Amino acid sequence: MTAILDSGSQQSLCSFQAANVLGLKKQDFCASIAGVSGSWFSVRKKVSTEISKGDSFKRKLNFLLVPKITGCVPNQPFDLTKMNLPQNITYADAEFNIPQTNQYSPGR
């Protein structure tokens, strides 16, 4: 499962699938999210959880639950050998250059 944390967002989002896999307790909630070109989406559930990295970092986060956050990411494969990436980094997803679709299975 892939997580995208976007510190520039006004709201944090989580898919129903991710919440189910992580066993997060869903809470009733009522809000609307404004999107691209003035679109609106109603949200009826939310979850709260804590992320951490050992004792050095802990943060409680609230997420609005939505059916799907993104489509295929990236939308096209790209050749890593043509990029000047640091060699001393271990990436969380070694195949981040290959499009992957997260399957949606709502568990409301």
Side-chain angles (χ1 to χ4, degrees):
M1 181 180 327
T2 302
I4 301 171
L5 299 178
D6 181 356
S7 61
S9 296
Q10 292 179 354
Q11 295 290 332
S12 296
L13 306 176
C14 179
S15 69
F16 280 99
Q17 179 187 18
N20 289 338
V21 168
L22 295 170
L24 300 176
K25 183 181 175 191
K26 297 170 191 75
Q27 304 163 25
D28 290 333
F29 187 73
C30 185
S32 294
I33 299 173
V36 176
S37 296
S39 63
W40 286 89
F41 181 81
S42 293
V43 175
R44 301 283 182 233
K45 299 281 184 184
K46 70 175 185 172
V47 293
S48 296
T49 191
E50 183 175 87
I51 62 170
S52 67
K53 182 176 179 176
D55 291 330
S56 64
F57 176 83
K58 287 186 182 178
R59 179 79 37 101
K60 184 171 181 170
L61 298 174
N62 298 304
F63 296 91
L64 304 181
L65 289 178
V66 296
K68 187 175 181 178
I69 297 173
T70 66
C72 221
V73 177
N75 60 357
Q76 296 181 48
F78 57 91
D79 187 354
L80 291 177
T81 62
K82 294 181 179 180
M83 299 184 74
N84 187 18
L85 297 174
Q87 298 299 310
N88 60 338
I89 293 177
T90 301
Y91 295 94
D93 180 1
E95 297 181 333
F96 68 91
N97 62 313
I98 301 169
Q100 297 180 34
T101 302
N102 292 322
Q103 298 300 313
Y104 164 56
S105 56
R108 302 170 195 187

